[in-house]
């Protein structure tokens, strides 16, 4: 009897233990499910927050990285005549190119202040004292330095004017991209490779692979290419789209070099402007001008800064057959002395460019900002 009762007691205990294990296991599972549900809710909340933030970002007006305004510089080609040798002429041109690149000048106009009427960059340089060659040589060297190194053989055959150009300091501008450097844009030359009609063209962009563009263009053209974001690493070529030369500036805010223009006289600098409505801000530089410290710039789209030669802007006014004025200040919106209290009797043109662009830069930035704010106000009113 005692043994049987003992067995029964053991059986009850086992049942109690089993029930306790089951309840404990059930509680663990419930707790686990509760934790999983809590985690899922937390993840859902995070996902919804990310979606809301993304929507807010999309609703926000996108920040415009582009630069809509342009800065042009005009100077006489006769300044090269003051150099004593071909090497010094070349070096002087290189100084001007470097100064303009440093301050992101978009256009350099070389005008003739001596009535030589040189409108072409063709022909040979026949000596230091030959009339009509200074403007041409200056323009040619400026163009040579602006061109990326890997394209120069395609656009600049051997020429006397460029005899010492290889010794000049490079501009090292953003469009002078190195072979393995990553860049959204590149300058290139269209290659004379046979392609099927409608299949685009091949372009040498200074990379290890050629770039296939979306348009079929004439061989030998210089083009600006926007490279596709997704590239196949196994492909023999890369893909890109042809864009305008000012696209990197207006869309991405990149400085993309300068253009060079020859003007037959001072008035042609204004009359032959490449912009539809011309320059809306013109600045003349002279020691007889108003101090730059007192200058306030209006908002503008296309600014032009004009420099004189050895005799100042007066020489360009006197020899220009289209101008009847004698005072150069009447030609400009602002006539400024960018170096008040100068310690030297004369400031050379290559020095004047650096001094003037340094002094004018903060005022240009302020005027551009003012113009941008007014555009935003007009947009909000409309």
């Amino acid at each position: 009897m005692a043994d049987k009762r003992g067995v029964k007691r053991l059986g009850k205990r086992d049942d109690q233990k089993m029930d306790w294990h089951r309840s404990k296991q059930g509680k663990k599972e419930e707790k686990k499910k509760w934790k999983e549900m809590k985690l899922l809710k937390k993840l859902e909340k995070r996902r919804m927050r990310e979606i809301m933030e993304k929507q807010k970002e999309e609703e926000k007006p996108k920040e415009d990285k582009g630069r809509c305004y342009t800065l042009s510089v005009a100077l006489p080609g006769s300044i090269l005549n003051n150099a004593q040798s071909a090497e010094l002429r070349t070096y002087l041109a290189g100084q001007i190119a470097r100064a303009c690149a440093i301050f992101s000048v978009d256009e350099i106009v070389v005008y003739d202040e001596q009535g030589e009427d040189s409108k072409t960059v063709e022909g040979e340089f026949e000596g230091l004292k030959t009339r009509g060659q200074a403007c041409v040589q200056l323009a040619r060297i400026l163009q040579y330095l602006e061109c990326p190194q890997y394209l120069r053989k395609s656009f600049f055959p051997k020429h006397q004017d460029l005899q010492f150009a290889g010794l000049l300091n490079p501009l090292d501008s953003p469009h002078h991209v190195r072979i393995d450097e990553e860049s959204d844009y590149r300058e290139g030359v269209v290659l004379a490779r046979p392609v099927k009609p409608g299949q685009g063209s091949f372009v040498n962009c200074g990379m290890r692979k050629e770039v296939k563009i979306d348009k079929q263009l004439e061989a030998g053209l210089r083009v600006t290419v926007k490279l596709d974001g997704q590239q196949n690493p196994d492909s023999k070529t890369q893909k890109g789209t042809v864009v305008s030369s000012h696209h990197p500036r207006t869309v991405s805010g990149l400085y993309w070099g300068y253009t060079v223009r020859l003007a037959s006289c001072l008035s042609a600098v204004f009359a032959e402007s490449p912009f539809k409505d011309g320059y809306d801000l013109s600045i003349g530089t002279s020691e007889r001008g108003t101090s730059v410290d007192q200058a306030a710039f209006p908002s503008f789209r296309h600014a032009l800064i004009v420099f004189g030669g050895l005799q100042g802007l007066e020489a360009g006014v006197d020899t220009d057959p289209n101008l009847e004025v004698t005072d150069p200040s009447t030609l400009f919106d602002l006539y400024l002395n960018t170096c008040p209290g100068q310690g030297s009797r004369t400031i050379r043109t290559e020095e004047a460019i650096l001094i003037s662009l340094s002094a004018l830069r903060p005022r240009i930035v302020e005027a551009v900002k003012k113009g941008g704010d007014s555009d935003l106000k007009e947009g909000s009113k409309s």
Side-chain angles (χ1 to χ4, degrees):
M1 292 289 290
D3 294 338
K4 286 179 182 178
R5 280 198 298 272
V7 170
K8 284 179 182 176
R9 282 195 205 100
L10 288 169
K12 283 179 181 178
R13 284 174 187 170
D14 289 341
D15 289 341
Q16 286 173 358
K17 283 181 181 178
M18 291 292 289
D19 291 341
W20 181 75
H21 279 303
R22 282 196 198 100
S23 63
K24 192 175 181 182
Q25 192 70 26
K27 284 179 181 177
K28 279 185 178 179
E29 287 179 1
E30 284 179 11
K31 196 173 182 181
K32 189 178 179 182
K33 284 182 181 176
W34 179 77
K35 281 184 177 179
E36 286 177 353
M37 286 179 66
K38 194 175 180 182
L39 183 63
L40 285 170
K41 283 182 180 178
K42 193 181 283 186
L43 290 171
E44 184 65 23
K45 279 183 180 179
R46 187 184 294 173
R47 193 175 69 85
M48 291 300 293
R49 199 185 305 124
E50 286 174 356
I51 291 170
M52 293 290 288
E53 286 175 0
K54 192 176 180 181
Q55 285 178 348
K56 283 180 182 178
E57 285 293 324
E58 288 175 354
E59 287 172 4
K60 277 182 185 178
K62 290 184 180 178
E63 186 183 352
D64 188 10
K65 294 181 181 178
R67 175 167 66 89
C68 296
Y69 74 92
T70 64
L71 182 62
S72 300
V73 162
L75 69 158
S78 61
I79 61 172
L80 291 193
N81 292 329
N82 199 37
Q84 287 83 13
S85 66
E87 292 94 329
L88 289 175
R89 286 169 76 100
T90 305
Y91 185 72
L92 176 56
Q95 284 182 296
I96 292 164
R98 283 282 302 169
C100 291
I102 288 167
F103 287 95
S104 302
V105 171
D106 302 294
E107 181 195 27
I108 303 177
V109 188
V110 181
Y111 67 89
D112 182 6
E113 68 168 0
Q114 297 179 342
E116 294 165 350
D117 195 17
S118 299
K119 284 191 175 182
T120 176
V121 292
E122 300 302 322
E124 295 293 330
F125 171 58
E126 297 171 357
L128 293 177
K129 295 181 180 178
T130 304
R131 292 175 62 81
Q133 295 297 318
C135 294
V136 175
Q137 187 182 19
L138 178 56
R140 185 179 276 113
I141 295 172
L142 291 174
Q143 287 179 332
Y144 177 84
L145 288 173
E146 186 277 335
C147 183
Q149 286 89 334
Y150 57 87
L151 294 179
R152 286 175 182 171
K153 285 185 179 179
S154 302
F155 296 106
F156 294 92
K158 192 174 180 181
H159 196 281
Q160 184 98 13
D161 287 356
L162 304 174
Q163 183 181 359
F164 301 102
L167 302 175
L168 295 175
N169 297 319
L171 299 189
D172 207 18
S173 297
H175 67 301
H176 289 201
V177 191
R178 293 161 180 82
I179 188 167
D180 292 319
E181 189 178 347
E182 290 187 5
S183 176
D184 292 336
Y185 304 92
R186 276 185 177 261
E187 290 292 290
V189 58
V190 181
L191 300 173
R193 275 185 59 180
V195 286
K196 294 179 182 178
Q199 293 293 312
S201 303
F202 290 98
V203 177
N204 171 23
C205 289
M207 306 168 71
R208 298 190 187 278
K209 296 179 181 179
E210 292 172 357
V211 180
K212 193 173 184 182
I213 56 174
D214 56 330
K215 293 180 181 177
Q216 197 158 1
L217 300 173
E218 184 183 346
L221 284 177
R222 178 176 167 177
V223 290
T224 304
V225 177
K226 187 179 190 303
L227 298 172
D228 292 355
Q230 298 289 332
Q231 299 285 354
N232 182 4
D234 299 325
S235 176
K236 291 182 180 179
T237 60
Q238 295 211 21
K239 290 186 178 180
T241 308
V242 175
V243 295
S244 64
S245 58
H246 57 73
H247 190 275
R249 171 180 60 83
T250 55
V251 175
S252 302
L254 293 172
Y255 175 60
W256 213 244
Y258 53 76
T259 59
V260 181
R261 175 164 66 91
L262 280 168
S264 58
C265 53
L266 183 57
S267 60
V269 173
F270 300 91
E272 297 170 5
S273 169
F275 308 108
K276 186 180 177 182
D277 298 321
Y279 304 103
D280 51 356
L281 176 62
S282 59
I283 302 166
T285 58
S286 171
E287 61 180 0
R288 287 172 281 279
T290 308
S291 173
V292 70
D293 301 330
Q294 303 167 11
F297 286 12
S299 60
F300 68 90
R301 286 289 181 184
H302 306 293
L304 170 68
I305 305 170
V306 184
F307 298 91
L310 292 173
Q311 284 83 38
L313 287 169
E314 287 80 5
V317 171
D318 292 341
T319 58
D320 194 325
N322 304 315
L323 296 176
E324 296 178 356
V325 297
T326 54
D327 184 4
S329 63
T330 57
L331 301 175
F332 304 99
D333 299 318
L334 297 169
Y335 198 58
L336 302 177
N337 179 1
T338 55
C339 188
Q342 64 191 60
S344 173
R345 290 190 184 90
T346 55
I347 296 178
R348 299 171 67 89
T349 305
E350 65 273 21
E351 297 166 342
I353 292 173
L354 279 171
I355 294 167
S356 300
L357 292 176
S358 299
L360 298 175
R361 183 184 172 278
R363 288 161 177 79
I364 289 171
V365 172
E366 188 181 345
V368 170
K369 188 178 177 183
K370 191 195 306 177
D373 292 342
S374 64
D375 289 344
L376 286 172
K377 286 177 184 177
E378 286 178 11
S380 60
K381 284 178 184 177
S382 59

